[in-house]
Amino acid sequence: DFLVRSAALAAAGSLLAASEAYALEQPLPFVPERVLPRANEPVRLGVIGTGGMGTEHCSALMRLQKGGKADLQLIALADVCQPRLNEAEQKVIAGGATWPIRKYTNYRELLDDPAIHGVLIAAPEHWHAKMVEAAVAAGKGVYVEKPMTLRLNDALRLRRLVESNPTALVIVGTQRVMSSVYQEAAKWIAAGAIGKATSSQTSYCRNSKDGEWLYYKIDPAWQPGVNLDWREWCGPLGKADWNPEVYARWRRYRKYSTGIIGDLLVHQLAPMMQVVNAGWPTRVIASGGHYVDQAMENHDQVNLNIEFEGGHTMIVAGSTCNEVGLETLVRGHKANLYVAGNKLTLRPERIYAEEVQEKTYDAPNLGEVQDLLRLNWIECIRGNQKPMSDVELGTKVMIVADLATRSIWEGKAFGYDPKKHKAFKI
């Protein structure tokens, strides 16, 4: 037994190193220069993945268009499921579309359309990497839902792709980076207001009576081989028997999602990592359990401990079985910075009370943060702004998400080498 376990662990370590090496060494596709919309031309968009989140994006984009906040046209939709495609089309029409809407069951055909400037990808996580890479190679400006990828090796490859092509545009849907309270917090810390930022904590916790993500309904109209291409949906992860539970609620399953970590915690990780600005994660250890929702394969309670190269430790809690989270704060050598809603509060450490002044800040409400990120993406497509939730941040977040997931399942700590961009088991 000992020899078998040792061999398995050694093999897992080798596969881990090989996975990152593959991402760093494989050739990248040719990326053409993006064609920017003309000054008086609407930004023409497509949406890939018209499930719950994708359809909400369709409605939100049409609200921005109808409200005069963005000059755009949502002209194309793609999904493997015809009923979902039809529903999304009706949402776009109800939102005020006066132009033809093209529908595709194969996303590659949507990417072939030269009229499209930008593509929003809201497909399941296991498709993110391939779709983003294909969209970048097609010269589109990309908005991809969080998490950026399912696995770390894919994130490293996308980072390399964007780094190698200065005109490539990829924004990750971690919209809380647009919050004015986090942006102000980052300024205070960068200015030394709390001294050395030594540690921080945050969380994303919620509760349900029946189980998380079960609100995604199963439609009896779905018929694989008739109006749904199940084999294409499985795609990069290989063949699987038809399972409507997996199709509708894939976030509950280990093969298709990292669960709480990738779907919820990334929302807090992204802005907090920008706030403390401590560089690359270097060590991650996590624990989790199935305490209430025994039917869900992914965990319903997780706790993460993350160390950064800049000398900082972040503690993150996530739950789908209890809604009481941790107070969001950054601890410094001289003072502590509390984030609560749109309010910042800086309180000095006792021994620095005469040197550091307590202060508060009420951040302005600039609008719904997800709309702000959508608008940032649209302006980036025009070439007028820089992405606020870029691939560099997305990669750092994915290091945490991927290594935390491995840590929970394998019961080990994991490290990351920022110079070699390789993960390793500790």
Side-chain angles (χ1 to χ4, degrees), residues 11-26 153 406 422-423:
S14 299
L15 287 172
L16 176 57
S19 179
E20 272 81 59
Y22 178 86
L24 293 170
E25 294 167 5
Q26 289 301 300
N153 62 318
R406 297 182 196 181
K422 290 184 178 179

Side-chain angles (χ1 to χ4, degrees), residues 6 32 59 77 105 124 144 188 230 241 259 290 309 326 346 348 369 373 382 393 417:
S6 299
S59 298
L77 306 170
T105 53
V144 60
W188 286 15
W230 171 244
D241 292 336
H290 302 90
E309 62 177 341
L326 301 177
L346 186 148
V369 288
L373 189 60
R382 290 195 179 278
L393 178 61
D417 185 336

Side-chain angles (χ1 to χ4, degrees), residues 150-163:
L150 179 58
R151 304 293 178 221
L152 175 56
N153 62 318
D154 289 326
L156 292 173
R157 179 173 172 84
L158 285 185
R159 176 178 178 269
R160 182 168 152 244
L161 177 67
V162 172
E163 265 195 339

Side-chain angles (χ1 to χ4, degrees), residues 31-37 43-48 61 110-111 113-121 131-145 162 166-172 373-374 376-383 387 391:
V31 176
E33 191 165 331
R34 286 191 302 113
V35 177
L36 304 183
V43 176
R44 290 186 293 272
L45 304 174
V47 171
I48 298 174
L61 289 168
L110 183 150
L111 294 179
D113 189 340
I116 295 173
H117 301 115
V119 175
L120 192 152
I121 295 170
M131 288 179 173
V132 172
E133 183 170 318
V136 169
K140 316 301 184 187
V142 181
Y143 180 124
V144 60
E145 261 300 337
V162 172
T167 65
L169 168 63
V170 178
I171 283 180
V172 185
L373 189 60
R374 293 179 183 111
N376 176 243
W377 171 52
I378 291 165
E379 285 305 306
C380 286
I381 290 174
R382 290 195 179 278
V391 165

Side-chain angles (χ1 to χ4, degrees), residues 14 54 69 105 107 110 130 174 201-202 224 233 236 281 285 287 367:
S14 299
K69 294 183 178 180
T105 53
Y107 76 93
L110 183 150
K130 282 188 174 295
T174 44
Q201 65 180 52
T202 190
W233 185 91
I285 186 165
S287 61

